[in-house]
Amino acid sequence: MVTRIEKIEHGKVVQRAERGSDSFYHCYPEGQTMAKYMTRCSNLEEAAEFLTKNKRGRIRMNPDWSLIVDNIHIDGKPRESL
């Protein structure tokens, strides 16, 4: 069970995946930023699966509801290692 998806830089958590106002996690394939390409994930398990299958996929994180592609860690492990 996945408990957290975070952006970690220099050993510090700087952003965390959070649900949008529609109660879903928002993931996007590589190079896409438009809502029509978004995959809505109902839980962190689904979001983690999307991110590990799409190694350059993106996810929205707070603060600032940014679209993150680099330095993504799933339960503390770099996405690239999963």
Side-chain angles (χ1 to χ4, degrees):
M1 180 176 169
V2 176
T3 59
R4 65 191 195 278
I5 298 176
E6 303 161 315
K7 179 178 182 178
I8 298 177
E9 291 182 331
H10 309 292
K12 293 185 180 185
V13 175
V14 294
Q15 290 181 290
R16 287 191 169 85
E18 294 181 12
R19 296 178 189 272
S21 59
D22 60 358
S23 298
F24 289 91
Y25 296 94
H26 295 190
C27 297
Y28 299 77
E30 179 179 3
Q32 299 300 326
T33 59
M34 296 174 55
K36 71 179 181 177
Y37 298 108
M38 176 178 50
T39 297
R40 287 180 174 86
C41 299
S42 60
N43 56 52
L44 286 173
E45 285 282 331
E46 290 178 12
E49 183 177 338
F50 178 92
L51 293 168
T52 54
K53 286 183 178 179
N54 299 279
K55 293 295 185 181
R56 296 296 297 163
R58 305 152 187 244
I59 188 168
R60 293 250 179 227
M61 292 190 185
N62 278 321
D64 300 325
W65 197 235
S66 303
L67 197 51
I68 304 301
V69 66
D70 294 317
N71 302 314
I72 293 175
H73 289 67
I74 298 169
D75 284 338
K77 296 177 185 170
R79 164 176 51 176
E80 296 76 18
S81 70
L82 299 174

